[in-house]
């Protein structure tokens, strides 16, 4: 097992780091304060390939391994977790479209999505179907050469500001086997959006409900086959969980770097607070947790890239551990800053607010525990 990154991987990570410093760092606090969705900056990320990192090459994606993609997301999240998290969601939805869309739909949307000229939202959650995604009620009825969609989605990132919706809807009976996936134009007649939610964090990306009232789309907009939608959604979420875990690792790295600088700069009792052993121990624990989280995320990414039978379980473990550890590191870094950490002039309070939601979305951390426990109790898993 090689823990060292290749020269090419390091160069790719450096490109992402430089991009985040130049394009995100000067504006991230303002985007957060004013709830601005920075489409122009996201489009610039697309010019570097960051909007189609692991999307298939047939739609203009780079087709990178999930591990390599995680390197890019981590560097950007160290500066702006909120904007980076949306880019990861867009990558997930774009990969799903590029993998399962018909040739006509892939040609229609693919290159615009991988380039960042157009953006995608992932539409699974409903007001009554969060952790129990298999109970979703949005319905798509095949009528001739069209599907007619009715229902609603909730907590959709980018809703109202994106161009295509990767939608899960029920085409069959109850349960997961009755769900199918679709590509829906975001401005299709009958699609409407709720108010922009006021959130604790993730303010640089809008979150809204979406309503579907007799929305008609061509039958060719079906992704995969009828009844495959839940499987497609879960495959998307395996990568999504690595992505959001990576955003937590990145946020934690940004917080740790800020804390290191501050411990040298801040003086109390006539000397830098970096000289106090209690704070040294705290910093050491933060770094240890961060490295452990990073390696777990990269292990899960490697398992997913290799098609390992237990990849989904590793993704769940990595998501649970890294998002908990990442939030704790951000929170501890704020504490090390004292009162200054609570001020918006410093990045810590924003990093804490942005990192907190990672423990909830892409499957709550409680659901991650359920996934891991079920696999362990099956008796035939090789989790070690």
């Amino acid at each position: 097992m090689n823990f060292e990154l290749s020269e090419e991987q390091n160069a790719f990570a450096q490109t992402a780091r430089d991009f985040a410093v130049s394009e995100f760092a000067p504006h991230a606090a303002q985007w957060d304060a004013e709830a601005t969705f920075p489409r122009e900056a996201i489009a610039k990320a697309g010019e570097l390939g960051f909007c189609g990192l692991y999307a298939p090459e047939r739609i203009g994606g780079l087709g990178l391994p999930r591990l390599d993609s995680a390197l890019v997301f981590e560097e950007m999240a160290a500066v702006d977790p909120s904007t980076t998290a949306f880019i990861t969601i867009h990558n997930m939805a774009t990969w799903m479209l590029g993998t399962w869309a018909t040739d006509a739909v892939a040609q229609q949307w693919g290159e615009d999505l991988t380039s960042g000229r157009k953006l995608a939202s992932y539409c699974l959650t409903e007001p009554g179907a969060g952790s129990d995604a298999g109970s979703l009620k949005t319905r798509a009825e095949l009528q001739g050469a069209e599907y007619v969609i009715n229902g609603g989605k909730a907590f959709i990132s980018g809703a109202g500001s994106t161009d295509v919706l990767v939608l899960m809807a029920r085409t069959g009976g109850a349960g997961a086997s009755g769900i199918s996936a679709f590509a829906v134009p975001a401005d299709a007649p009958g699609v409407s959006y709720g108010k922009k939610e006021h959130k604790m964090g993730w303010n640089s990306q809008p979150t809204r409900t979406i309503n579907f009232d007799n929305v008609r789309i061509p039958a060719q907009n079906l992704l995969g086959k009828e009844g495959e939608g839940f499987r497609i959604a879960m495959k998307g979420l395996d990568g999504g969980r690595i992505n959001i875990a990576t955003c937590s690792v990145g946020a934690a790295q940004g917080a740790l770097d800020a804390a290191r600088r501050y411990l040298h700069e801040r003086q109390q009792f006539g000397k830098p607070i970096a000289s106090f052993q209690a704070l040294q121990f705290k910093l050491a624990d933060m770094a240890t947790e961060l490295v452990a989280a990073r390696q777990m995320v990269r292990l899960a990414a490697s398992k997913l890239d290799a098609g390992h039978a237990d990849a989904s379980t590793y993704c769940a473990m990595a998501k649970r551990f890294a998002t908990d550890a990442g939030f704790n590191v951000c929170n501890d870094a704020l504490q090390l800053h004292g009162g200054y950490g609570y001020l918006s002039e410093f990045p810590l309070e924003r990093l804490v607010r942005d990192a907190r939601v990672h423990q909830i979305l892409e499957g709550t951390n409680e659901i991650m525990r359920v996934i891991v426990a079920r696999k362990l109790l099956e008796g035939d898993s090789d989790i070690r």
Side-chain angles (χ1 to χ4, degrees):
M1 194 170 180
N2 184 6
F3 289 91
E4 297 302 319
L5 300 180
S6 69
E7 183 176 342
E8 183 178 357
Q9 287 172 322
N10 279 316
F12 211 28
Q14 183 64 53
T15 299
R17 186 179 307 126
D18 294 342
F19 172 80
V21 168
S22 64
E23 299 295 337
F24 288 176
H27 312 293
Q30 183 179 0
W31 294 338
D32 172 70
E34 299 177 0
T36 300
F37 185 47
R39 282 202 64 148
E40 182 177 345
I42 295 170
K44 289 181 179 179
E47 293 173 3
L48 294 174
F50 296 166
C51 287
L53 285 168
Y54 56 91
E57 294 179 3
R58 79 161 177 144
I59 61 167
L62 298 183
L64 291 178
R66 302 307 174 94
L67 176 58
D68 291 32
S69 302
L71 304 177
V72 172
F73 296 143
E74 180 182 333
E75 295 297 341
M76 294 195 293
V79 175
D80 186 352
S82 172
T83 303
T84 303
F86 175 78
I87 292 174
T88 73
I89 294 168
H90 168 81
N91 268 267
M92 176 177 66
T94 298
W95 172 78
M96 293 168 70
L97 185 145
T99 302
W100 283 284
T102 61
D103 289 341
V105 172
Q107 185 174 7
Q108 178 185 1
W109 291 104
E111 291 190 4
D112 280 340
L113 292 174
T114 55
S115 68
R117 293 191 296 270
K118 293 185 177 179
L119 301 176
S121 289
Y122 175 77
C123 304
L124 175 64
T125 301
E126 297 183 2
S131 295
D132 183 15
S135 68
L136 64 84
K137 297 186 183 304
T138 297
R139 189 150 197 98
E141 298 281 355
L142 183 61
Q143 297 182 5
E146 293 180 319
Y147 281 96
V148 181
I149 303 170
N150 286 281
K153 297 292 178 179
F155 299 114
I156 304 304
S157 292
S161 299
T162 52
D163 305 286
V164 62
L165 310 175
V166 175
L167 171 75
M168 286 359 105
R170 190 166 300 283
T171 54
S177 62
I179 296 171
S180 300
F182 301 89
V184 180
D187 60 354
V191 177
S192 61
Y193 300 91
K195 66 177 178 63
K196 185 162 72 170
E197 305 288 0
H198 297 284
K199 305 182 299 253
M200 173 180 172
W202 268 29
N203 290 318
S204 70
Q205 51 170 295
T207 302
R208 292 183 174 90
T209 59
I210 308 179
N211 294 308
F212 301 87
D213 184 10
N214 289 321
V215 176
R216 293 181 173 272
I217 60 170
Q220 69 179 11
N221 284 34
L222 176 70
L223 302 180
K225 299 177 182 178
E226 279 202 6
E228 291 185 337
F230 192 80
R231 181 179 67 85
I232 291 172
M234 293 303 104
K235 283 186 173 294
L237 282 179
D238 280 342
R241 287 164 182 161
I242 291 172
N243 292 346
I244 216 63
T246 299
C247 286
S248 286
V249 170
Q253 185 66 62
L256 180 67
D257 291 343
R260 290 168 59 194
R261 292 191 298 268
Y262 186 76
L263 290 183
H264 286 295
E265 296 166 359
R266 177 68 168 167
Q267 294 212 359
Q268 289 288 274
F269 307 104
K271 54 186 176 181
I273 61 175
S275 64
F276 297 123
Q277 195 173 63
L279 302 188
Q280 294 173 2
F281 286 0
K282 174 60 71 176
L283 197 70
D285 286 345
M286 292 160 62
T288 301
E289 292 294 304
L290 174 55
V291 170
R294 176 180 290 117
Q295 295 307 325
M296 180 169 276
V297 171
R298 292 182 181 180
L299 172 63
S302 297
K303 296 288 188 184
L304 192 58
D305 286 331
H308 192 281
D310 290 328
S312 293
T313 310
Y314 281 97
C315 291
M317 288 194 295
K319 193 271 180 182
R320 201 290 299 167
F321 184 82
T323 57
D324 283 349
F327 174 77
N328 290 337
V329 170
C330 290
N331 198 38
D332 286 342
L334 188 153
Q335 185 72 18
L336 289 175
H337 279 71
Y340 290 106
Y342 207 64
L343 302 180
S344 59
E345 285 85 354
F346 289 76
L348 280 305
E349 58 86 28
R350 175 170 56 85
L351 293 175
V352 167
R353 288 186 290 105
D354 284 345
R356 179 60 183 87
V357 74
H358 299 174
Q359 296 167 295
I360 299 172
L361 51 80
E362 309 291 36
T364 66
N365 283 5
E366 290 74 20
I367 291 297
M368 298 304 100
R369 291 177 171 92
V370 170
I371 292 170
V372 175
R374 282 178 177 171
K375 189 54 148 177
L376 289 171
L377 293 172
E378 284 178 1
D380 61 348
S381 66
D382 189 28
I383 305 297
R384 60 180 64 206

